[in-house]
Amino acid sequence: MTFTAEEAKAAFPDEVVTNAVTNLVKVPGLDKPVALITLDNGHDHTRPNTFGPQGLVALNTALDEAFAAEPAAIAVTGKPFIFAVGADLSGVEAVSDPKLAREIAQTGHDVFRRLTESKIPTFGFVNGAVMGGGLELALSCHYRTLSENTAAIAFPEVFLGLFPGWGGTQLLPNLIGPDAAVTVIIENALAQNKMLNVRKAAELGIVDEVFGSADYLEQSLLWLAKVVNGEITPARREIDRGAEWDAAIARAKSIVDGRTHGASPGATKAVELLELARENDLDRGYAAETDGLAELLMSDVLRAGLYSFNLVNKRAKRPAGAPDKSLARKVNKVGIVGAGLMASQLALLFVRRLKVPVVLTDVDQARIDKGVGYVHEEIDKLLAKKRVSPDGANRLKALVTGSLDKAAFADADFVIEAVFEELGVKQQVFAELEQHVSPEAILATNTSSLSITAMASKLQHPERVVGFHFFNPVAVLPLLEIVRGEKTDDATLATAFSVGKQLKKSSVLVKDATAFVVNRLLLRFLGEVLVAVDEGTPFDVADSALEPLGLPMSPLNLMQLVGPAIALHVGETLHGSFPDRFTVSENLEKFVKAGKKGVWTWDETGKPSVDPEVAELWKQGDNPSTAEQVRDRALNAIAEEVRIMLDEGVVAEAQDIDLCLILGAGWPFWLGGITPYLDRSGVSERVNGKRFLSRGVASVPA
């Protein structure tokens, strides 16, 4: 093995070490004991087992002890609820020596491979969460069992801009087939890190048996004895290394091209390694994984992915600028003004998470009935999927009601409006509400661009008004922009953050500035693309200009998703505040007036072309740009806008802007939000004269 204990400690001195302890266990039916290795980092389930250099050395030592005992079998399991979730990413960020990066890559292979090449049968007893390197450890064993209450099963590496580099790309396709491996390693990872459930993991053949959690270890050991004695021979599927493998690799390339446009080296390398796995030669496959991992570990793209990971898993849990949580008031009832689609989605979210009464109001009973009906239907869908029990579904539905009279909000602690996006309308709504609610009740607005301060300006208690901006679809996107008006007090803000946490959203504190963070940035770059089209750039050239960033969708497709009328309205609001930087396209105005929803039409093969009606109404100039020129223009604009927003104090730091784009717009982890990309591509210094982030933050340390 590459590392000695001393070298491992020197490499990652702050590693939370996952120790490995070997115990010899007598099992009925076996003459010899079983060497059971338990992984445990000494923390509870909130700090999962991970592998850094010291953890790998500990596992290697435990394996030495296990083999020395000449047992009937060797089994590896984890601490309660956790098997292992992969490499210690916190240590990777500090790696600045390519030699160390290669040693980390090689050591994982050296240790795990001992289980694969063992003459003694080896078993992975996956008793809880298993991801990344933890799943590779399990795959390195000859056989696997799984606890039925395991909550997380995945290879998240490609999501982070990496690839499974300790055997995963070679072992998995040769166990479950290439197409299923593409799903697990690439497709799920690029679908916002979709997890496998226990049933699917068993169905795919990743594990051999599933046992109940109450006596999981005992059942696994009894099953092990039957395997060792030849009473059970776990099935292994025959692997097609011809046409099926060709089709799987073609599908993998299509997914990676469609989702990343070549912007993620980790995804591209994963496809190459899955193709190499066809040979089923571990020497070649592992050597290629080691080479690829050593190279990627020293790349800024991977560091941007780890930066994103830390933003989502650490910064999002401790929002910058949030008041002391002890100031938060308890929310026992929620009111929602409006009963349209957004209001109904909010009602569903509030009742599911808070489990308190939720009352909707609107201008007529038909709309209220429709809104309440939507929530009830969605709860029935959850019941059909067994996400709630029959009793639970009935209780949730009973909590959601509607009323034409805002007096129904008299005892509400938190009222949110989701009405037409017009300042006068919202001011009127809040003025009416103030006649009915208690002086302490929070008045929240889901506005996407309007001033919170202006909305509260005519109220007796403007201090209890707060922006509470969700993103659509509400159930999917985790970001919540919490906007502090000029008079919003700490108790209101603390309550907003408390409610956001109960809703399982990641909240970012935002200053009351037009369109806040996500919409302001999206409209800035969309505006540049539309100006380029207005000038004469072909729609397809302008729309594909940002593909090298690997964004989740193109600007014109984004406009269609958001809704052109909404994009126009937010654009007009921004133009009113910042006329020198945000323009309003006359063509877009005509487009919206004509009732058009999108630029493209698709033929039967799925190939897009410009809708002839759009081509007719959109009057273009004779000064077209190339895709590169459009991209430069859009990136320059974003870099300028981010700098202005930071100077204005819209958020505390660049990290909050990146967090907003990752969680609110689905921008990829490997991009790092946006500021790491602007830094590493040189745009930051070209536009602003300096980087957004210090070297070593979302980049390889100097």
Side-chain angles (χ1 to χ4, degrees), residues 155-173:
F155 272 130
E157 285 87 347
V158 171
F159 178 63
L160 293 170
L162 198 52
F163 61 84
W166 283 340
T169 67
Q170 305 303 297
L171 296 171
L172 190 65

Side-chain angles (χ1 to χ4, degrees), residues 436-448:
H436 298 286
V437 299
S438 71
E440 292 77 31
I442 306 296
L443 299 182
T445 170
N446 186 43
T447 182
S448 58

Side-chain angles (χ1 to χ4, degrees), residues 4 30 35 70 91 160 189 194-195 403 425 573-574 595 629 690:
T4 64
L30 294 177
E70 298 183 357
L160 293 170
K194 180 181 177 183
M195 302 277 169
S403 174
V425 174
T573 305
L574 281 160
Q629 288 170 330
K690 60 180 179 179

Side-chain angles (χ1 to χ4, degrees), residues 378-389:
E378 292 299 310
I379 292 170
D380 284 336
K381 289 177 186 176
L382 294 171
L383 175 61
K385 294 175 183 174
K386 298 185 177 177
R387 302 269 295 277
V388 293
S389 67

Side-chain angles (χ1 to χ4, degrees), residues 298-328:
M298 295 307 297
S299 72
D300 285 346
V301 176
L302 174 64
R303 305 310 171 98
L306 298 180
Y307 165 84
S308 299
F309 180 83
N310 285 332
L311 291 182
V312 169
N313 288 282
K314 295 177 182 176
R315 191 177 184 91
K317 291 176 171 57
R318 295 185 292 275
D324 192 305
K325 59 186 178 182
S326 67
L327 297 172

Side-chain angles (χ1 to χ4, degrees), residues 29-203:
L30 294 177
D31 295 333
K32 293 182 176 181
V34 171
L36 180 65
I37 299 172
T38 303
L39 307 173
D40 192 343
N41 63 6
H43 293 256
D44 66 14
H45 66 280
T46 60
R47 181 70 190 240
N49 294 330
T50 54
F51 291 111
Q54 295 178 73
L56 290 171
V57 168
L59 177 56
N60 197 54
T61 301
L63 286 170
D64 286 342
E65 295 172 6
F67 282 112
E70 298 183 357
I74 297 171
V76 183
T77 194
K79 66 182 182 180
F81 312 112
I82 304 287
F83 183 73
V85 298
D88 179 358
L89 298 178
S90 59
V92 170
E93 292 173 271
V95 175
S96 58
D97 181 358
K99 180 172 177 287
L100 178 57
R102 175 167 288 278
E103 286 175 342
I104 292 168
Q106 185 62 52
T107 301
H109 282 126
D110 291 347
V111 178
F112 292 1
R113 196 169 179 176
R114 294 183 71 184
L115 290 159
T116 309
E117 298 183 341
S118 167
K119 297 290 190 288
I120 299 169
T122 58
F123 295 77
F125 291 166
V126 182
N127 64 309
V130 61
M131 291 189 281
L135 186 50
E136 289 172 301
L137 171 61
L139 289 170
S140 298
C141 298
H142 302 148
Y143 311 101
R144 284 154 296 285
T145 67
L146 181 65
S147 174
E148 68 176 4
N149 68 344
T150 300
I153 307 165
F155 272 130
E157 285 87 347
V158 171
F159 178 63
L160 293 170
L162 198 52
F163 61 84
W166 283 340
T169 67
Q170 305 303 297
L171 296 171
L172 190 65
N174 283 298
L175 176 68
I176 68 174
D179 191 67
V182 166
T183 297
V184 176
I185 291 175
I186 292 176
E187 186 176 26
N188 286 359
L190 290 178
Q192 293 297 306
N193 194 25
K194 180 181 177 183
M195 302 277 169
L196 295 171
N197 58 31
V198 169
R199 180 190 59 76
K200 190 65 177 176
E203 186 182 291

